[in-house]
Each structure stands twice: as structure tokens, then as C-alpha cells.
Amino acid sequence: MTTTAAAAARHAAVWAGRAETAHETAVTRRAKGRELESQRLSAGARDWYERAEGAEKQRGTAVTMANMWANVAGVLHLAEEGEPS
């Protein structure tokens, strides 16, 4: 299977979108945790904070993958243009 620079760029964009979604999810979950904490529901708050941490880990993975695919796209673009990487 051969990947083109355009395909790699699309992969990077998809992973960047996943990173953004994970970030938004983490923010929402932390807010829900704070809300429950203010209502003295510490067990529920703890659960939402753990969920937020999971989303933050997903974001980290997605950012890493987006960066990797962006680098691949750059190298492939140079190769497709006949320039040495």
C-alpha cells in the first residue's frame, strides 16, 4: 500500500479532529466533576474527573498521531516533488 502526501495530510487532519474532540470532552467532564463537587457529591465528582483524565490521555495520543502524520505528509510531499528529504 502506497500512501501519498495528500492521504497522509488527511490522516493528520482526522487525528487533529480527534484531539480537539477529546479536549472538548475533557473540559466538559471536568466541569461536570466540579459541579458535583460543589454539591458535595465527591464520589460522582471523582468519577467525572477520572473520565476527564481518560479523555486527556486520548487527546495526547491523537496529538502525537496528528504530528506523526503531518511529518509523513511533509516527507512524502518532498519525495513526490523529487526533492531530497
Side-chain angles (χ1 to χ4, degrees):
M1 180 180 140
T2 303
T3 301
T4 64
R10 284 190 295 275
H11 285 299
V14 167
W15 280 105
R18 289 178 183 171
E20 183 62 29
T21 299
H23 172 72
E24 291 168 0
T25 300
V27 168
T28 301
R29 290 176 177 175
R30 287 218 178 273
K32 184 67 175 174
R34 283 190 300 276
E35 178 185 328
L36 292 177
E37 202 170 50
S38 71
Q39 297 172 7
R40 308 271 192 244
L41 300 172
S42 61
R46 214 173 13 257
D47 181 50
W48 282 101
Y49 287 137
E50 288 173 5
R51 291 179 186 192
E53 288 174 10
E56 289 167 350
K57 288 178 184 177
Q58 289 176 348
R59 179 183 181 270
T61 299
V63 167
T64 299
M65 293 299 293
N67 287 332
M68 188 260 324
W69 279 110
N71 289 335
V72 168
V75 169
L76 289 174
H77 177 71
L78 291 174
E80 289 168 3
E81 296 295 318
E83 298 179 26
S85 56

